[in-house]
Amino acid sequence: MTERTTVHLMRHGEVHNPTGVLYGRLPEFYLSELGHEMAEAAASALADRDITYLVASPLERAQQTAQPTADLFELPIVTDDRVIEADNTFEGSKFGVGSGSLRHPSVWWRLRNPLRPSWGEPYTHIAARMRAAVADAREAARGHEAVIVSHQLPVWIARRSFEAKSFVHDPRRRECTLASLTTFTFDGDQVVSVEYSEPAGHLLPEALRGKFVGGA
C-alpha cells in the first residue's frame, strides 16, 4: 500500500506597498501588520496537521509568512529559489486593472502574446520549477505533510499543471488569495486530490475580496 503525503502551497500575506507598484522579485517588500496576522492565521489553520517539512521563497514576504509555521512546528525554513515569484517586465511599475498602464502604446509590444506570456516568465517554466519543488518537498515529507510558501502566480500555475488545465487565464479569476492554502494530496507520487482554503479570509479587506493583486 502506498503512502499518503500532503503538500500545502501557502501564498504569503499582505505586503506593505504604499506606492502600489508591482513589486515582483524586488527586495525589501515586507509584510504589513495585517500580513503578519494573516501568516499567523494560516499557521493556526495547520496546527493539527502533520507538518514535517517547510519551504519558502527567498523573498522577504514569503520568509516572514513562513515564520509562524516554523515556530509552531519547530522546523527550519528551507529556502528554495524554485518557488520564487514569476519574473515580470512590469516589475517596479504601477500596473494593474484600472491603472491605465495597458493603454500606453509603449507597453503594447510586451502584451503581444498572452499565451506565453510575452511580458514575463513563460508559464511552462513556472510549472516546471514549481512541480520540481513540490516533488522534492513530497519526498522530504514522505508519509507526512509539507508546506511551501510561495506567490500567487506560481501557486496558481502549479495548480493548473497538476489539474492538467490550460495555463492561459484571467488573472482576476485566480483562486489564490492572500495567505491561502492550495493543498495537494498524493498517493505515492500520484496526486489524488486538490483542495483550496482561505484561513485568513476573514482578514481580507472587503474591497480586495476576489480581486487581483499584482506582483504578489
Side-chain angles (χ1 to χ4, degrees):
M1 182 176 179
T2 55
E3 290 181 306
R4 285 289 176 108
T5 306
T6 299
V7 179
H8 306 273
L9 299 189
M10 180 188 297
R11 185 186 170 194
H12 64 78
E14 183 188 70
V15 174
H16 179 65
N17 183 17
T19 58
V21 301
L22 193 152
Y23 36 79
R25 296 180 177 180
L26 294 175
E28 299 185 7
F29 277 89
Y30 302 96
L31 293 184
S32 65
E33 183 176 341
L34 182 61
H36 282 287
E37 292 183 47
M38 291 177 173
E40 293 284 353
S44 295
L46 296 170
D48 295 330
R49 307 298 294 243
D50 183 24
I51 308 298
T52 62
Y53 191 69
L54 175 61
V55 176
S57 155
L59 296 176
E60 293 94 340
R61 58 192 184 269
Q63 294 281 319
Q64 289 180 311
T65 300
Q67 193 59 56
T69 301
D71 293 342
L72 180 63
F73 292 98
E74 299 182 347
L75 291 172
I77 299 172
V78 178
T79 300
D80 190 337
D81 290 342
R82 295 174 298 181
V83 302
I84 198 170
E85 175 65 288
D87 193 21
N88 193 310
T89 64
F90 290 102
E91 186 177 276
S93 305
K94 290 187 177 180
F95 176 81
V97 178
S99 69
S101 55
L102 296 180
R103 294 193 294 270
H104 199 285
S106 66
V107 307
W108 292 349
W109 176 250
R110 283 186 274 175
L111 300 173
R112 66 191 181 279
N113 183 2
L115 305 181
R116 187 180 183 267
S118 53
W119 57 84
E121 183 179 4
Y123 293 140
T124 53
H125 291 187
I126 300 171
R129 62 178 171 85
M130 288 296 292
R131 288 186 70 110
V134 168
D136 285 352
R138 182 187 66 226
E139 189 59 35
R142 181 75 68 175
H144 303 279
E145 302 185 39
V147 174
I148 299 176
V149 183
S150 186
H151 308 267
Q152 187 188 64
L153 181 55
V155 172
W156 182 244
I157 291 298
R159 176 176 172 177
R160 302 287 288 187
S161 179
F162 278 109
E163 293 180 330
K165 294 181 179 178
S166 171
F167 296 146
V168 180
H169 65 281
D170 181 343
R172 296 167 297 180
R173 296 183 179 276
R174 293 174 189 162
E175 191 177 42
C176 186
T177 196
L178 294 165
S180 60
L181 293 169
T182 299
T183 299
F184 302 103
T185 300
F186 293 88
D187 188 356
D189 295 340
Q190 182 68 38
V191 66
V192 293
S193 71
V194 180
E195 299 174 74
Y196 175 77
S197 60
E198 298 181 357
H202 62 289
L203 295 173
L204 284 173
E206 188 64 33
L208 292 179
R209 291 185 188 278
K211 290 191 176 180
F212 169 62
V213 180

